[in-house]
Amino acid sequence: MTDFAQIPAHSGRSAVAGIMGWPVAHSQSPRLHAYWLNHYGIDGAYIPLPVMPDRLSDAINGLRAFGFRGANVTIPFKEAVIPLIDELTPVARLIGAVNTLIVDADGKITGTNTDSPGFLDNLRHGAPQWDARRPAAVIGAGGAARAVCAALLGAGVPEVRLFNRTFDKAETLAAHFRPYFKSPIRPLPLEEKVWEGSLAEVGVVVNTTSLGMTGHPPIALDLGLIPADAVVVDIVYNPLRTPFLAAAEARGLATVDGLGMLLFQARAGFQHWFGELPEVTDDLRAYVLQAMGA
Ligand code: ATR
């Protein structure tokens, strides 16, 4: 006989959200939201929404047509959805990328970006001793770096030293942010000598590139000159302990891994769609880690 308690509690009124991407099979978000829906006893569903790139516009209209509460947006659509939706929040406009869609009762779709607050919440949670009054060093100048820079400058750091292999991209990012914050972004080439000469006083060092991810080369930088009380953060979470974090730990530096950013960025979307601001707990982390096979 079936144990009825094991059947997911979906009714005809379930609030529905999901994650749009191509592919989405690798995403941990369905499991993460399922955990919270179950934990809070909410009548809702969060499902994978694989969208072929040439069907993105249809998919956005599908959210409206099916009465979705909203969706997360992942690679390769974070920028492509912008012209297809009705409104952007200021943070999404600043970062130029959307990872969360909110659909209202009339079908109006607002796009926001929760990567930025997710990064900051994870940093504060993982390293409460982090001093926002000290400069920050950020590696990379892509979309993830824009979210991280917005978070750090918003938190009040006096300067972001932005290192990128392609220097022009760091310069462009710095110029784009200039009108929005009183503290500057200083663009720098990703070269050992420049790196070593630019670490004085930094309170946090963040990798936003794919370096160190499974199948990618590690970051080839010496961590010896990072101040002993600085925090080192990697937004890569596959593997959880990247070579960059392992080297930082070996030096005795405090570290914060990338899984927390995934968990914290999901909170705001869940609250919009399902009406409860969920907590990031050790139990949730253990559940997602187990699902990742880590
Ligand atoms: P995302 O949106 O995830 O940030 P992205 O926009 O493609 O992805 O940005 C990737 C970042 O990783 C860039 O800063 C990129 O450097 P370039 O601007 O020089 O391309 C950086 N990156 C990727 N592979 C790298 C490598 N092998 N060495 C140094 N930087 C690398």
Side-chain angles (χ1 to χ4, degrees), residues 10 17 35 50 86 90 93 103 105 156 161 184 225 237 260 270:
H10 296 148
Y35 174 97
D86 304 298
R93 196 178 305 269
V103 187
R161 299 173 190 161
L225 292 176
Y237 60 85
F270 189 92

Side-chain angles (χ1 to χ4, degrees), residues 51-83:
V51 176
M52 281 167 62
D54 64 348
R55 302 239 167 97
L56 182 60
S57 176
D58 290 343
I60 292 286
N61 282 323
L63 296 178
R64 296 186 175 101
F66 287 120
F68 272 59
R69 296 289 175 90
N72 281 124
V73 178
T74 187
I75 292 167
F77 301 133
K78 286 185 174 189
E79 293 169 24
V81 292
I82 291 175

Side-chain angles (χ1 to χ4, degrees), residues 75 78-79 97 139-146 163-170 190 207-211 213 216-220 235:
I75 292 167
K78 286 185 174 189
E79 293 169 24
I139 306 164
R146 293 199 299 275
F163 300 86
N164 200 46
R165 174 179 62 180
T166 310
F167 178 66
D168 289 6
K169 275 176 71 182
L190 186 60
N207 172 46
T208 73
T209 71
S210 47
L211 292 170
M213 199 182 280
H216 294 247
I219 294 175
I235 70 162

Side-chain angles (χ1 to χ4, degrees), residues 135-139 159-163 195 198-199 202 204-206:
V138 174
I139 306 164
E159 180 181 60
V160 172
R161 299 173 190 161
L162 186 71
F163 300 86
W195 166 258
S198 311
L199 295 171
V202 300
V204 64
V205 176
V206 189

Side-chain angles (χ1 to χ4, degrees), residues 200-289:
E201 302 293 313
V202 300
V204 64
V205 176
V206 189
N207 172 46
T208 73
T209 71
S210 47
L211 292 170
M213 199 182 280
T214 306
H216 294 247
I219 294 175
L221 292 172
D222 189 343
L223 307 190
L225 292 176
I226 296 175
D229 57 353
V231 182
V232 175
V233 188
D234 205 326
I235 70 162
V236 170
Y237 60 85
N238 185 16
L240 201 55
R241 194 162 177 269
T242 60
F244 186 58
L245 291 185
E249 274 170 26
R251 269 216 54 225
L253 298 165
T255 60
V256 176
D257 67 51
L259 181 60
M261 179 171 167
L262 173 76
L263 305 181
F264 278 99
Q265 68 74 30
R267 295 177 75 214
F270 189 92
Q271 183 179 30
H272 279 293
W273 308 320
F274 303 118
E276 181 104 33
L277 184 62
E279 290 302 323
V280 172
T281 59
D282 289 346
D283 192 51
L284 169 67
R285 206 179 139 88
Y287 176 74
V288 174
L289 277 174

